[in-house]
Amino acid sequence: MAASRVPTRWISVADDEALAAAACERILRAAGKAIEARGQFLLVLTGGNTPKQVYVRMAKAQADWSRWHFYFGDERCLPVADAERNSRMVCEVWLDRVPVPREQIHPVPAEAGALAAASRYAERLRELGDFDLVLMGLGEDGHTASLFPGHDWGESATAPDVLAVFDSPKPPPERVSLSAARLGRTREMLFLVAGEGKQRAVAEWRRGALLPAAAVSPPAGVDVLVTPPLPNVSRRAS
Ligand code: 6PG
């Protein structure tokens, strides 16, 4: 385990609404660049409440959805229709509301159990190159995706792309997560961090602590949109 090895750019925003607006702007910008360069946009989504506000906004955006491909950084092992599933939340607020081809939405088959789902999702990712943009959340304990303190984060170059996670401290206990190594294979990575409850984890991350969030290391570094605003970090919206 090592503290962040890549540049971490902190971007303070005034409140949740500003965070959602700035995140949408960045997602759309990344999509534009990827589609222009390669004809498609490979986006990895995260679960949690913070991104939900972003997804609600994205549903109203103008985009060529036929070029977008959606993957998931982690999933909770629950039935497909369970309201706590990340894929269900994303579909409800965003993907069911825009004309994206269904075959371009790639949920983790977590209903099959963590081990089976991890192996099937790894197979799905096998031929895929780098992602264009990976969205990440941050837990109060510094976790990201379903990589929790004290667990295996799959950082090494030989780590599997997808991990079966048991005994998660955040319910449900059984989950599936892309490894830190596979999450790091992306052109851009954007963390969405909101709420007073995250301040301690943010302070530890900034001090160089060994948190899961600091273990993902895409070559271009990571951007962190954060509210409430951090002291000594100038505010900007994008
Ligand atoms: C999940 C997540 C998880 C989440 C963070 C932050 O499935 O639970 O992917 O890593 O992003 O816990 O969640 P909040 O934004 O709700 O605080």
Side-chain angles (χ1 to χ4, degrees), residues 45-52 73-76 84-86 135-141 143-148 170-172 175-176 192-194 198:
L45 302 170
T46 177
N49 292 321
T50 314
K52 188 171 177 185
D74 72 326
E75 186 55 280
R76 307 162 181 189
E84 294 298 314
R85 280 277 295 238
N86 291 339
L135 299 178
M136 303 285 265
L138 179 73
E140 296 182 7
D141 58 358
H143 78 253
T144 192
S146 286
L147 307 175
F148 293 94
K170 179 178 181 180
R175 290 163 167 259
V176 177
L192 308 170
V193 182
K198 311 283 173 68

PDB file of all heavy atoms in Angstrom, residues 45-52 73-76 84-86 135-141 143-148 170-172 175-176 192-194 198, ligand 1:
ATOM      1  N   LEU A  45     -19.081   4.594 -13.870  1.00  0.00           N
ATOM      2  CA  LEU A  45     -19.917   5.298 -12.901  1.00  0.00           C
ATOM      3  C   LEU A  45     -19.652   4.802 -11.483  1.00  0.00           C
ATOM      4  O   LEU A  45     -19.212   3.671 -11.285  1.00  0.00           O
ATOM      5  CB  LEU A  45     -21.388   5.057 -13.249  1.00  0.00           C
ATOM      6  CG  LEU A  45     -21.793   5.499 -14.654  1.00  0.00           C
ATOM      7  CD1 LEU A  45     -23.190   5.004 -14.980  1.00  0.00           C
ATOM      8  CD2 LEU A  45     -21.708   7.014 -14.775  1.00  0.00           C
ATOM      9  N   THR A  46     -19.953   5.655 -10.531  1.00  0.00           N
ATOM     10  CA  THR A  46     -19.828   5.289  -9.124  1.00  0.00           C
ATOM     11  C   THR A  46     -21.205   5.335  -8.463  1.00  0.00           C
ATOM     12  O   THR A  46     -22.133   5.963  -8.980  1.00  0.00           O
ATOM     13  CB  THR A  46     -18.852   6.250  -8.397  1.00  0.00           C
ATOM     14  OG1 THR A  46     -18.816   5.898  -7.018  1.00  0.00           O
ATOM     15  CG2 THR A  46     -19.266   7.700  -8.520  1.00  0.00           C
ATOM     16  N   GLY A  47     -21.328   4.670  -7.317  1.00  0.00           N
ATOM     17  CA  GLY A  47     -22.589   4.717  -6.575  1.00  0.00           C
ATOM     18  C   GLY A  47     -22.527   5.778  -5.492  1.00  0.00           C
ATOM     19  O   GLY A  47     -21.526   6.490  -5.356  1.00  0.00           O
ATOM     20  N   GLY A  48     -23.595   5.873  -4.719  1.00  0.00           N
ATOM     21  CA  GLY A  48     -23.616   6.820  -3.603  1.00  0.00           C
ATOM     22  C   GLY A  48     -24.534   7.999  -3.876  1.00  0.00           C
ATOM     23  O   GLY A  48     -25.052   8.171  -4.978  1.00  0.00           O
ATOM     24  N   ASN A  49     -24.720   8.813  -2.841  1.00  0.00           N
ATOM     25  CA  ASN A  49     -25.655   9.945  -2.950  1.00  0.00           C
ATOM     26  C   ASN A  49     -25.068  11.131  -3.688  1.00  0.00           C
ATOM     27  O   ASN A  49     -25.786  11.866  -4.350  1.00  0.00           O
ATOM     28  CB  ASN A  49     -26.067  10.415  -1.546  1.00  0.00           C
ATOM     29  CG  ASN A  49     -26.914   9.369  -0.872  1.00  0.00           C
ATOM     30  OD1 ASN A  49     -27.759   8.739  -1.514  1.00  0.00           O
ATOM     31  ND2 ASN A  49     -26.679   9.149   0.413  1.00  0.00           N
ATOM     32  N   THR A  50     -23.770  11.350  -3.536  1.00  0.00           N
ATOM     33  CA  THR A  50     -23.158  12.519  -4.174  1.00  0.00           C
ATOM     34  C   THR A  50     -23.306  12.450  -5.697  1.00  0.00           C
ATOM     35  O   THR A  50     -23.775  13.415  -6.312  1.00  0.00           O
ATOM     36  CB  THR A  50     -21.677  12.632  -3.757  1.00  0.00           C
ATOM     37  OG1 THR A  50     -21.590  12.452  -2.343  1.00  0.00           O
ATOM     38  CG2 THR A  50     -21.090  13.967  -4.150  1.00  0.00           C
ATOM     39  N   PRO A  51     -22.941  11.334  -6.322  1.00  0.00           N
ATOM     40  CA  PRO A  51     -23.087  11.277  -7.783  1.00  0.00           C
ATOM     41  C   PRO A  51     -24.535  11.299  -8.250  1.00  0.00           C
ATOM     42  O   PRO A  51     -24.805  11.714  -9.384  1.00  0.00           O
ATOM     43  CB  PRO A  51     -22.413   9.954  -8.162  1.00  0.00           C
ATOM     44  CG  PRO A  51     -22.355   9.163  -6.924  1.00  0.00           C
ATOM     45  CD  PRO A  51     -22.277  10.133  -5.794  1.00  0.00           C
ATOM     46  N   LYS A  52     -25.458  10.882  -7.390  1.00  0.00           N
ATOM     47  CA  LYS A  52     -26.866  10.849  -7.826  1.00  0.00           C
ATOM     48  C   LYS A  52     -27.318  12.215  -8.342  1.00  0.00           C
ATOM     49  O   LYS A  52     -28.000  12.322  -9.359  1.00  0.00           O
ATOM     50  CB  LYS A  52     -27.741  10.384  -6.652  1.00  0.00           C
ATOM     51  CG  LYS A  52     -29.166  10.130  -7.043  1.00  0.00           C
ATOM     52  CD  LYS A  52     -29.916   9.472  -5.907  1.00  0.00           C
ATOM     53  CE  LYS A  52     -31.370   9.294  -6.291  1.00  0.00           C
ATOM     54  NZ  LYS A  52     -32.162   8.764  -5.189  1.00  0.00           N
ATOM     55  N   GLY A  73     -17.928   1.111 -11.500  1.00  0.00           N
ATOM     56  CA  GLY A  73     -16.723   0.901 -10.696  1.00  0.00           C
ATOM     57  C   GLY A  73     -16.950  -0.108  -9.588  1.00  0.00           C
ATOM     58  O   GLY A  73     -16.022  -0.798  -9.167  1.00  0.00           O
ATOM     59  N   ASP A  74     -18.175  -0.178  -9.116  1.00  0.00           N
ATOM     60  CA  ASP A  74     -18.495  -1.191  -8.109  1.00  0.00           C
ATOM     61  C   ASP A  74     -19.998  -1.431  -8.083  1.00  0.00           C
ATOM     62  O   ASP A  74     -20.770  -0.666  -8.670  1.00  0.00           O
ATOM     63  CB  ASP A  74     -17.981  -0.793  -6.715  1.00  0.00           C
ATOM     64  CG  ASP A  74     -18.776   0.337  -6.068  1.00  0.00           C
ATOM     65  OD1 ASP A  74     -19.245   1.237  -6.807  1.00  0.00           O
ATOM     66  OD2 ASP A  74     -18.932   0.317  -4.841  1.00  0.00           O
ATOM     67  N   GLU A  75     -20.376  -2.536  -7.445  1.00  0.00           N
ATOM     68  CA  GLU A  75     -21.802  -2.849  -7.319  1.00  0.00           C
ATOM     69  C   GLU A  75     -22.029  -3.613  -6.033  1.00  0.00           C
ATOM     70  O   GLU A  75     -21.125  -4.261  -5.492  1.00  0.00           O
ATOM     71  CB  GLU A  75     -22.281  -3.653  -8.539  1.00  0.00           C
ATOM     72  CG  GLU A  75     -23.773  -3.921  -8.596  1.00  0.00           C
ATOM     73  CD  GLU A  75     -24.646  -2.663  -8.499  1.00  0.00           C
ATOM     74  OE1 GLU A  75     -24.853  -2.155  -7.366  1.00  0.00           O
ATOM     75  OE2 GLU A  75     -25.144  -2.207  -9.550  1.00  0.00           O
ATOM     76  N   ARG A  76     -23.236  -3.482  -5.548  1.00  0.00           N
ATOM     77  CA  ARG A  76     -23.625  -4.153  -4.305  1.00  0.00           C
ATOM     78  C   ARG A  76     -24.335  -5.455  -4.670  1.00  0.00           C
ATOM     79  O   ARG A  76     -25.165  -5.465  -5.588  1.00  0.00           O
ATOM     80  CB  ARG A  76     -24.554  -3.221  -3.532  1.00  0.00           C
ATOM     81  CG  ARG A  76     -23.909  -1.838  -3.353  1.00  0.00           C
ATOM     82  CD  ARG A  76     -24.910  -0.762  -3.003  1.00  0.00           C
ATOM     83  NE  ARG A  76     -24.238   0.544  -2.876  1.00  0.00           N
ATOM     84  CZ  ARG A  76     -24.831   1.635  -2.408  1.00  0.00           C
ATOM     85  NH1 ARG A  76     -26.097   1.592  -2.037  1.00  0.00           N
ATOM     86  NH2 ARG A  76     -24.167   2.771  -2.325  1.00  0.00           N
ATOM     87  N   GLU A  84     -31.259  -0.358  -3.693  1.00  0.00           N
ATOM     88  CA  GLU A  84     -29.900  -0.027  -3.249  1.00  0.00           C
ATOM     89  C   GLU A  84     -28.827  -0.379  -4.274  1.00  0.00           C
ATOM     90  O   GLU A  84     -27.643  -0.142  -4.034  1.00  0.00           O
ATOM     91  CB  GLU A  84     -29.591  -0.754  -1.927  1.00  0.00           C
ATOM     92  CG  GLU A  84     -30.439  -0.306  -0.741  1.00  0.00           C
ATOM     93  CD  GLU A  84     -30.212   1.163  -0.410  1.00  0.00           C
ATOM     94  OE1 GLU A  84     -29.057   1.579  -0.361  1.00  0.00           O
ATOM     95  OE2 GLU A  84     -31.203   1.887  -0.227  1.00  0.00           O
ATOM     96  N   ARG A  85     -29.232  -0.981  -5.384  1.00  0.00           N
ATOM     97  CA  ARG A  85     -28.235  -1.307  -6.418  1.00  0.00           C
ATOM     98  C   ARG A  85     -27.755  -0.022  -7.099  1.00  0.00           C
ATOM     99  O   ARG A  85     -28.562   0.838  -7.461  1.00  0.00           O
ATOM    100  CB  ARG A  85     -28.872  -2.192  -7.497  1.00  0.00           C
ATOM    101  CG  ARG A  85     -28.992  -3.646  -7.151  1.00  0.00           C
ATOM    102  CD  ARG A  85     -27.724  -4.402  -7.418  1.00  0.00           C
ATOM    103  NE  ARG A  85     -27.351  -4.472  -8.813  1.00  0.00           N
ATOM    104  CZ  ARG A  85     -27.177  -5.591  -9.499  1.00  0.00           C
ATOM    105  NH1 ARG A  85     -27.369  -6.761  -8.908  1.00  0.00           N
ATOM    106  NH2 ARG A  85     -26.792  -5.565 -10.762  1.00  0.00           N
ATOM    107  N   ASN A  86     -26.466   0.101  -7.323  1.00  0.00           N
ATOM    108  CA  ASN A  86     -25.946   1.278  -8.018  1.00  0.00           C
ATOM    109  C   ASN A  86     -26.536   1.369  -9.427  1.00  0.00           C
ATOM    110  O   ASN A  86     -26.917   2.445  -9.888  1.00  0.00           O
ATOM    111  CB  ASN A  86     -24.418   1.227  -8.081  1.00  0.00           C
ATOM    112  CG  ASN A  86     -23.784   1.426  -6.714  1.00  0.00           C
ATOM    113  OD1 ASN A  86     -24.416   1.968  -5.813  1.00  0.00           O
ATOM    114  ND2 ASN A  86     -22.553   0.971  -6.545  1.00  0.00           N
ATOM    115  N   LEU A 135     -15.517   7.940 -12.728  1.00  0.00           N
ATOM    116  CA  LEU A 135     -16.048   8.743 -11.620  1.00  0.00           C
ATOM    117  C   LEU A 135     -15.882   7.944 -10.332  1.00  0.00           C
ATOM    118  O   LEU A 135     -16.123   6.736 -10.314  1.00  0.00           O
ATOM    119  CB  LEU A 135     -17.528   9.037 -11.848  1.00  0.00           C
ATOM    120  CG  LEU A 135     -17.871   9.824 -13.116  1.00  0.00           C
ATOM    121  CD1 LEU A 135     -19.387   9.999 -13.237  1.00  0.00           C
ATOM    122  CD2 LEU A 135     -17.171  11.181 -13.112  1.00  0.00           C
ATOM    123  N   MET A 136     -15.499   8.620  -9.273  1.00  0.00           N
ATOM    124  CA  MET A 136     -15.264   7.955  -7.994  1.00  0.00           C
ATOM    125  C   MET A 136     -15.939   8.733  -6.871  1.00  0.00           C
ATOM    126  O   MET A 136     -16.048   9.970  -6.934  1.00  0.00           O
ATOM    127  CB  MET A 136     -13.759   7.917  -7.697  1.00  0.00           C
ATOM    128  CG  MET A 136     -12.904   7.239  -8.744  1.00  0.00           C
ATOM    129  SD  MET A 136     -13.063   5.462  -8.678  1.00  0.00           S
ATOM    130  CE  MET A 136     -11.663   5.088  -7.658  1.00  0.00           C
ATOM    131  N   GLY A 137     -16.349   8.015  -5.821  1.00  0.00           N
ATOM    132  CA  GLY A 137     -16.847   8.659  -4.610  1.00  0.00           C
ATOM    133  C   GLY A 137     -15.798   8.532  -3.514  1.00  0.00           C
ATOM    134  O   GLY A 137     -14.746   7.926  -3.713  1.00  0.00           O
ATOM    135  N   LEU A 138     -16.101   9.089  -2.383  1.00  0.00           N
ATOM    136  CA  LEU A 138     -15.204   8.950  -1.226  1.00  0.00           C
ATOM    137  C   LEU A 138     -16.063   8.692   0.007  1.00  0.00           C
ATOM    138  O   LEU A 138     -17.011   9.443   0.277  1.00  0.00           O
ATOM    139  CB  LEU A 138     -14.380  10.228  -1.027  1.00  0.00           C
ATOM    140  CG  LEU A 138     -13.422  10.212   0.173  1.00  0.00           C
ATOM    141  CD1 LEU A 138     -12.211   9.302  -0.097  1.00  0.00           C
ATOM    142  CD2 LEU A 138     -12.932  11.632   0.503  1.00  0.00           C
ATOM    143  N   GLY A 139     -15.731   7.627   0.732  1.00  0.00           N
ATOM    144  CA  GLY A 139     -16.445   7.345   1.978  1.00  0.00           C
ATOM    145  C   GLY A 139     -15.786   8.049   3.148  1.00  0.00           C
ATOM    146  O   GLY A 139     -14.651   8.513   3.050  1.00  0.00           O
ATOM    147  N   GLU A 140     -16.503   8.090   4.277  1.00  0.00           N
ATOM    148  CA  GLU A 140     -15.971   8.783   5.461  1.00  0.00           C
ATOM    149  C   GLU A 140     -14.710   8.122   5.984  1.00  0.00           C
ATOM    150  O   GLU A 140     -13.889   8.751   6.650  1.00  0.00           O
ATOM    151  CB  GLU A 140     -17.050   8.846   6.546  1.00  0.00           C
ATOM    152  CG  GLU A 140     -18.222   9.686   6.068  1.00  0.00           C
ATOM    153  CD  GLU A 140     -19.322   9.849   7.100  1.00  0.00           C
ATOM    154  OE1 GLU A 140     -19.124   9.411   8.245  1.00  0.00           O
ATOM    155  OE2 GLU A 140     -20.374  10.433   6.731  1.00  0.00           O
ATOM    156  N   ASP A 141     -14.535   6.830   5.666  1.00  0.00           N
ATOM    157  CA  ASP A 141     -13.328   6.102   6.093  1.00  0.00           C
ATOM    158  C   ASP A 141     -12.255   6.104   5.008  1.00  0.00           C
ATOM    159  O   ASP A 141     -11.258   5.392   5.114  1.00  0.00           O
ATOM    160  CB  ASP A 141     -13.691   4.652   6.448  1.00  0.00           C
ATOM    161  CG  ASP A 141     -14.349   3.927   5.277  1.00  0.00           C
ATOM    162  OD1 ASP A 141     -14.557   4.562   4.206  1.00  0.00           O
ATOM    163  OD2 ASP A 141     -14.654   2.730   5.412  1.00  0.00           O
ATOM    164  N   HIS A 143     -12.732   5.103   1.884  1.00  0.00           N
ATOM    165  CA  HIS A 143     -12.921   4.098   0.823  1.00  0.00           C
ATOM    166  C   HIS A 143     -13.348   4.773  -0.466  1.00  0.00           C
ATOM    167  O   HIS A 143     -13.863   5.896  -0.468  1.00  0.00           O
ATOM    168  CB  HIS A 143     -13.926   3.017   1.245  1.00  0.00           C
ATOM    169  CG  HIS A 143     -15.365   3.406   1.168  1.00  0.00           C
ATOM    170  ND1 HIS A 143     -16.142   3.665   2.273  1.00  0.00           N
ATOM    171  CD2 HIS A 143     -16.203   3.575   0.105  1.00  0.00           C
ATOM    172  CE1 HIS A 143     -17.384   3.960   1.899  1.00  0.00           C
ATOM    173  NE2 HIS A 143     -17.444   3.927   0.582  1.00  0.00           N
ATOM    174  N   THR A 144     -13.108   4.057  -1.550  1.00  0.00           N
ATOM    175  CA  THR A 144     -13.602   4.491  -2.849  1.00  0.00           C
ATOM    176  C   THR A 144     -14.009   3.246  -3.608  1.00  0.00           C
ATOM    177  O   THR A 144     -13.483   2.165  -3.343  1.00  0.00           O
ATOM    178  CB  THR A 144     -12.548   5.318  -3.608  1.00  0.00           C
ATOM    179  OG1 THR A 144     -13.175   5.943  -4.731  1.00  0.00           O
ATOM    180  CG2 THR A 144     -11.369   4.466  -4.090  1.00  0.00           C
ATOM    181  N   ALA A 145     -14.963   3.389  -4.556  1.00  0.00           N
ATOM    182  CA  ALA A 145     -15.601   2.224  -5.159  1.00  0.00           C
ATOM    183  C   ALA A 145     -15.925   1.275  -3.990  1.00  0.00           C
ATOM    184  O   ALA A 145     -16.408   1.720  -2.955  1.00  0.00           O
ATOM    185  CB  ALA A 145     -14.699   1.599  -6.219  1.00  0.00           C
ATOM    186  N   SER A 146     -15.600  -0.034  -4.095  1.00  0.00           N
ATOM    187  CA  SER A 146     -15.767  -0.891  -2.912  1.00  0.00           C
ATOM    188  C   SER A 146     -14.405  -1.380  -2.434  1.00  0.00           C
ATOM    189  O   SER A 146     -14.201  -2.536  -2.093  1.00  0.00           O
ATOM    190  CB  SER A 146     -16.731  -2.058  -3.203  1.00  0.00           C
ATOM    191  OG  SER A 146     -18.062  -1.585  -3.259  1.00  0.00           O
ATOM    192  N   LEU A 147     -13.455  -0.449  -2.401  1.00  0.00           N
ATOM    193  CA  LEU A 147     -12.109  -0.712  -1.873  1.00  0.00           C
ATOM    194  C   LEU A 147     -12.055  -0.080  -0.488  1.00  0.00           C
ATOM    195  O   LEU A 147     -12.082   1.150  -0.359  1.00  0.00           O
ATOM    196  CB  LEU A 147     -11.049  -0.091  -2.795  1.00  0.00           C
ATOM    197  CG  LEU A 147     -11.149  -0.498  -4.283  1.00  0.00           C
ATOM    198  CD1 LEU A 147     -10.133   0.268  -5.118  1.00  0.00           C
ATOM    199  CD2 LEU A 147     -10.984  -2.009  -4.447  1.00  0.00           C
ATOM    200  N   PHE A 148     -12.040  -0.939   0.529  1.00  0.00           N
ATOM    201  CA  PHE A 148     -12.164  -0.462   1.907  1.00  0.00           C
ATOM    202  C   PHE A 148     -10.840  -0.591   2.675  1.00  0.00           C
ATOM    203  O   PHE A 148     -10.036  -1.482   2.379  1.00  0.00           O
ATOM    204  CB  PHE A 148     -13.251  -1.270   2.636  1.00  0.00           C
ATOM    205  CG  PHE A 148     -14.625  -1.008   2.085  1.00  0.00           C
ATOM    206  CD1 PHE A 148     -15.158  -1.833   1.103  1.00  0.00           C
ATOM    207  CD2 PHE A 148     -15.374   0.083   2.510  1.00  0.00           C
ATOM    208  CE1 PHE A 148     -16.414  -1.583   0.565  1.00  0.00           C
ATOM    209  CE2 PHE A 148     -16.633   0.348   1.978  1.00  0.00           C
ATOM    210  CZ  PHE A 148     -17.150  -0.490   1.003  1.00  0.00           C
ATOM    211  N   LYS A 170     -19.473  -0.957   4.795  1.00  0.00           N
ATOM    212  CA  LYS A 170     -20.673  -0.230   4.345  1.00  0.00           C
ATOM    213  C   LYS A 170     -21.626  -1.268   3.758  1.00  0.00           C
ATOM    214  O   LYS A 170     -21.209  -2.069   2.927  1.00  0.00           O
ATOM    215  CB  LYS A 170     -20.275   0.808   3.280  1.00  0.00           C
ATOM    216  CG  LYS A 170     -21.454   1.602   2.717  1.00  0.00           C
ATOM    217  CD  LYS A 170     -21.021   2.664   1.701  1.00  0.00           C
ATOM    218  CE  LYS A 170     -22.233   3.428   1.190  1.00  0.00           C
ATOM    219  NZ  LYS A 170     -21.882   4.465   0.213  1.00  0.00           N
ATOM    220  N   PRO A 171     -22.879  -1.306   4.194  1.00  0.00           N
ATOM    221  CA  PRO A 171     -23.787  -2.330   3.697  1.00  0.00           C
ATOM    222  C   PRO A 171     -24.052  -2.192   2.188  1.00  0.00           C
ATOM    223  O   PRO A 171     -24.012  -1.073   1.684  1.00  0.00           O
ATOM    224  CB  PRO A 171     -25.079  -2.109   4.485  1.00  0.00           C
ATOM    225  CG  PRO A 171     -24.807  -1.013   5.459  1.00  0.00           C
ATOM    226  CD  PRO A 171     -23.494  -0.397   5.148  1.00  0.00           C
ATOM    227  N   PRO A 172     -24.367  -3.282   1.510  1.00  0.00           N
ATOM    228  CA  PRO A 172     -24.348  -4.640   2.011  1.00  0.00           C
ATOM    229  C   PRO A 172     -22.913  -5.159   2.098  1.00  0.00           C
ATOM    230  O   PRO A 172     -22.036  -4.628   1.421  1.00  0.00           O
ATOM    231  CB  PRO A 172     -25.139  -5.407   0.942  1.00  0.00           C
ATOM    232  CG  PRO A 172     -24.834  -4.668  -0.315  1.00  0.00           C
ATOM    233  CD  PRO A 172     -24.711  -3.221   0.076  1.00  0.00           C
ATOM    234  N   ARG A 175     -19.953  -7.328  -2.094  1.00  0.00           N
ATOM    235  CA  ARG A 175     -19.878  -6.358  -3.189  1.00  0.00           C
ATOM    236  C   ARG A 175     -18.910  -6.833  -4.256  1.00  0.00           C
ATOM    237  O   ARG A 175     -18.157  -7.781  -4.050  1.00  0.00           O
ATOM    238  CB  ARG A 175     -19.365  -5.015  -2.649  1.00  0.00           C
ATOM    239  CG  ARG A 175     -20.344  -4.306  -1.762  1.00  0.00           C
ATOM    240  CD  ARG A 175     -19.658  -3.230  -0.936  1.00  0.00           C
ATOM    241  NE  ARG A 175     -20.648  -2.386  -0.328  1.00  0.00           N
ATOM    242  CZ  ARG A 175     -21.007  -1.178  -0.758  1.00  0.00           C
ATOM    243  NH1 ARG A 175     -20.387  -0.625  -1.771  1.00  0.00           N
ATOM    244  NH2 ARG A 175     -21.942  -0.498  -0.161  1.00  0.00           N
ATOM    245  N   VAL A 176     -18.873  -6.100  -5.358  1.00  0.00           N
ATOM    246  CA  VAL A 176     -17.909  -6.351  -6.428  1.00  0.00           C
ATOM    247  C   VAL A 176     -17.280  -5.003  -6.738  1.00  0.00           C
ATOM    248  O   VAL A 176     -17.973  -3.986  -6.754  1.00  0.00           O
ATOM    249  CB  VAL A 176     -18.625  -6.897  -7.684  1.00  0.00           C
ATOM    250  CG1 VAL A 176     -17.638  -7.080  -8.825  1.00  0.00           C
ATOM    251  CG2 VAL A 176     -19.328  -8.206  -7.371  1.00  0.00           C
ATOM    252  N   LEU A 192     -15.909  12.773  -6.693  1.00  0.00           N
ATOM    253  CA  LEU A 192     -17.017  13.653  -6.303  1.00  0.00           C
ATOM    254  C   LEU A 192     -17.154  13.528  -4.785  1.00  0.00           C
ATOM    255  O   LEU A 192     -17.529  12.466  -4.279  1.00  0.00           O
ATOM    256  CB  LEU A 192     -18.306  13.192  -6.982  1.00  0.00           C
ATOM    257  CG  LEU A 192     -18.210  12.999  -8.505  1.00  0.00           C
ATOM    258  CD1 LEU A 192     -19.443  12.305  -9.047  1.00  0.00           C
ATOM    259  CD2 LEU A 192     -18.000  14.349  -9.191  1.00  0.00           C
ATOM    260  N   VAL A 193     -16.832  14.585  -4.077  1.00  0.00           N
ATOM    261  CA  VAL A 193     -16.755  14.509  -2.610  1.00  0.00           C
ATOM    262  C   VAL A 193     -17.582  15.635  -1.992  1.00  0.00           C
ATOM    263  O   VAL A 193     -17.241  16.812  -2.156  1.00  0.00           O
ATOM    264  CB  VAL A 193     -15.289  14.627  -2.136  1.00  0.00           C
ATOM    265  CG1 VAL A 193     -15.207  14.497  -0.620  1.00  0.00           C
ATOM    266  CG2 VAL A 193     -14.410  13.569  -2.812  1.00  0.00           C
ATOM    267  N   ALA A 194     -18.661  15.273  -1.295  1.00  0.00           N
ATOM    268  CA  ALA A 194     -19.510  16.304  -0.691  1.00  0.00           C
ATOM    269  C   ALA A 194     -19.863  15.946   0.743  1.00  0.00           C
ATOM    270  O   ALA A 194     -20.121  14.783   1.058  1.00  0.00           O
ATOM    271  CB  ALA A 194     -20.787  16.460  -1.513  1.00  0.00           C
ATOM    272  N   LYS A 198     -17.049  14.047   5.248  1.00  0.00           N
ATOM    273  CA  LYS A 198     -15.890  13.582   4.476  1.00  0.00           C
ATOM    274  C   LYS A 198     -14.619  14.369   4.824  1.00  0.00           C
ATOM    275  O   LYS A 198     -13.543  14.058   4.320  1.00  0.00           O
ATOM    276  CB  LYS A 198     -16.145  13.732   2.969  1.00  0.00           C
ATOM    277  CG  LYS A 198     -17.468  13.186   2.467  1.00  0.00           C
ATOM    278  CD  LYS A 198     -17.434  11.673   2.353  1.00  0.00           C
ATOM    279  CE  LYS A 198     -18.769  11.072   2.024  1.00  0.00           C
ATOM    280  NZ  LYS A 198     -19.269  11.351   0.714  1.00  0.00           N
TER     281      LYS A 198
HETATM  282  C1  6PG B   1     -21.058   2.509  -3.147  1.00  0.00           C
HETATM  283  C2  6PG B   1     -19.995   3.393  -3.675  1.00  0.00           C
HETATM  284  C3  6PG B   1     -19.127   4.052  -2.644  1.00  0.00           C
HETATM  285  C4  6PG B   1     -19.559   5.510  -2.592  1.00  0.00           C
HETATM  286  C5  6PG B   1     -19.004   6.231  -1.386  1.00  0.00           C
HETATM  287  C6  6PG B   1     -19.515   7.642  -1.266  1.00  0.00           C
HETATM  288  O1  6PG B   1     -21.546   1.676  -3.875  1.00  0.00           O
HETATM  289  O2  6PG B   1     -21.438   2.627  -1.986  1.00  0.00           O
HETATM  290  O3  6PG B   1     -19.555   3.266  -4.927  1.00  0.00           O
HETATM  291  O4  6PG B   1     -17.759   3.965  -2.851  1.00  0.00           O
HETATM  292  O5  6PG B   1     -19.145   6.184  -3.757  1.00  0.00           O
HETATM  293  O6  6PG B   1     -19.369   5.500  -0.237  1.00  0.00           O
HETATM  294  O7  6PG B   1     -20.921   7.620  -1.186  1.00  0.00           O
HETATM  295  P1  6PG B   1     -21.751   8.954  -0.872  1.00  0.00           P
HETATM  296  O8  6PG B   1     -21.567   9.864  -2.016  1.00  0.00           O
HETATM  297  O9  6PG B   1     -23.167   8.465  -0.701  1.00  0.00           O
HETATM  298  O10 6PG B   1     -21.200   9.482   0.406  1.00  0.00           O
END
